[in-house]
Amino acid sequence: YPVEGSHLELTETIIQELTTRPELTFDDIIKYWGLSNMEVVVMVEAIDPLISGTFQALQSYQAEDIAYGAKFAPVFTENNEVDMEIFHDIIQDPNHSPNDEVISLIDNRKNK
């Protein structure tokens, strides 16, 4: 024991080296998204409780559609109602804003 040529001969050190990955940063993710020509497709499905009708919404997002480092504004009022006037508003988070290199990459992609 250990069996040569199998996972049983791997030491704890070798396993650690094989499974440890560098930590990704916010900018790494944005940069990859911008360079890879990636698209995310989102499908939301709901059922109307009165008539049991099924409704679907389908939306796709590419790099130029994303507000990097932002979040949606709170839309619920004090009366627990949704304020549709601000439903699509976003708030930029200064702690998660892309750096200048990444912003340049995004701008160049938008201009293509």
Side-chain angles (χ1 to χ4, degrees), residues 19-29:
T19 58
T20 302
R21 295 188 176 129
E23 198 167 311
L24 289 176
T25 66
F26 182 73
D27 288 333
D28 291 336
I29 294 168

Side-chain angles (χ1 to χ4, degrees), residues 29-37 63 68 105-106 109:
I29 294 168
I30 295 171
K31 196 175 193 179
Y32 178 77
W33 182 293
L35 292 172
S36 66
N37 201 24
Y68 297 98
L105 178 70
I106 295 166
R109 182 165 161 79

Side-chain angles (χ1 to χ4, degrees), residues 43-49 52-57:
M43 187 186 84
V44 178
E45 184 174 270
I47 299 175
D48 183 321
S52 295
T54 303
F55 300 91
Q56 293 180 341

Side-chain angles (χ1 to χ4, degrees), residues 1-11 14-15 18:
Y1 204 6
V3 179
E4 189 175 325
S6 77
H7 69 283
L8 297 176
E9 77 171 333
L10 297 176
T11 65
I14 294 172
I15 292 172
L18 292 172

Side-chain angles (χ1 to χ4, degrees), residues 10 23-24 26 29 37 39 41 44 49-51 63 67 69 75 81 86-87 89 99 101-102 104 106 110:
L10 297 176
E23 198 167 311
L24 289 176
F26 182 73
I29 294 168
N37 201 24
E39 180 176 11
V41 178
V44 178
L50 295 177
I51 61 171
V75 296
E81 296 174 348
I86 61 170
F87 191 77
D89 289 357
N99 68 31
E101 175 193 358
V102 174
S104 175
I106 295 166
K110 286 181 183 179

